[in-house]
């Protein structure tokens, strides 16, 4: 067959005959919540497409309220504040009456803060999302909307549900005097710091926490899913830098005023 007798090239198939790529599967809420723990890449890809933040916040608020209520009955805020004041260097300069007044006022304030868990959770997520928006969009050239970042951060905080559940188990296994609500689980370096160490050392050690690193990794996965041009390592850097700054400020403040 000569070249002149060959049939012409039909070219690409007509547009109507092309098969469109399959659409990503939309996850229901239960699949999302479970997926954050077992398949975070798939879960956060869905969260990035359909951001929603209020369901994780509500779950964390409910479980936090249950935990705080259990702590109030099992341990008590006055016991906690008394232990903190007795361990503080400032207690040496207080009279017995001043110490009791400080314990009473501290217990009232701590209880109010404890029961405001859902508000504190929402504020923490909002601030974290705002900081990460600056890190990712302004400094790294990302294009993540604030609603999407709120969804990423709120779902990234889900391991705190496991922290609260495990803390309640430990609280009922330990004598009330031995339970420390500031560091209930031995998943951080602070749990291995000697009891007579300076408070700032305990705070610094407590910051190196397995669950904190888990949360940061989840948020980095979510950022990378929402902004594919930002790889996981770069997203993790955007998350870790503000955390390091926060730990440094908190440790310095404790050393100065603790």
């Amino acid at each position: 067959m000569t070249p002149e007798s060959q049939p012409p090239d039909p070219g690409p198939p007509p547009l109507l005959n092309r098969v469109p790529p399959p659409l990503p599967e939309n996850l229901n809420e239960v699949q999302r919540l479970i997926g954050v723990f077992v398949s975070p890449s798939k879960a956060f890809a869905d969260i990035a497409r359909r951001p929603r933040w209020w369901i994780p916040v509500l779950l964390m608020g409910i479980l936090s309220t249950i935990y705080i209520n259990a702590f109030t009955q099992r341990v008590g805020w006055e016991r906690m504040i008394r232990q903190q004041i007795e361990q503080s260097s400032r207690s040496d300069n207080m009279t017995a009456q001043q110490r009791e007044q400080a314990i009473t006022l501290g217990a009232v304030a701590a209880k109010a803060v404890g029961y405001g868990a859902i508000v504190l959770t929402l504020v923490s997520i909002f601030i974290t999302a705002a900081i990460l928006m600056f890190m990712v969009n302004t400094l790294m050239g990302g294009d993540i909307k604030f609603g999407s970042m709120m969804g990423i951060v709120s779902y990234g905080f889900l391991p705190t549900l496991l922290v609260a559940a495990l803390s309640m188990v430990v609280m009922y296994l330990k004598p009330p005097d031995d339970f420390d609500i500031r560091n209930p689980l031995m998943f951080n370096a602070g749990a291995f710091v000697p009891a007579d160490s300076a408070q700032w050392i305990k705070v610094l050690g407590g910051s190196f926490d397995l669950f904190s690193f888990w949360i940061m990794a989840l948020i980095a996965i979510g950022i990378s899913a929402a902004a594919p041009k930002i790889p996981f390592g770069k997203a993790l850097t955007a998350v870790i830098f503000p955390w390091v700054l926060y730990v440094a400020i908190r440790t310095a403040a404790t050393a100065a005023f603790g």
Side-chain angles (χ1 to χ4, degrees), residues 57-133:
V57 171
L58 183 61
L59 290 176
M60 287 184 279
I62 291 172
L63 190 55
S64 296
T65 303
I66 294 172
Y67 174 42
I68 293 301
N69 187 58
F71 176 83
T72 302
Q73 297 181 20
R74 171 72 175 170
V75 180
W77 298 100
E78 184 175 329
R79 187 198 306 265
M80 183 196 76
I81 297 299
R82 185 179 299 276
Q83 290 175 346
Q84 291 181 6
I85 290 179
E86 289 175 352
Q87 294 172 1
S88 173
S89 58
R90 292 179 296 174
S91 64
D92 297 335
N93 301 323
M94 300 171 65
T95 65
Q97 183 178 4
Q98 289 174 331
R99 189 178 295 110
E100 292 302 318
Q101 288 178 346
I103 291 171
T104 301
L105 293 175
V108 173
K111 185 176 181 180
V113 171
Y115 278 105
I118 190 168
V119 177
L120 293 176
T121 299
L122 181 57
V123 170
S124 298
I125 290 174
F126 181 87
I127 293 175
T128 303
I131 293 173
L132 291 179
M133 283 282 291

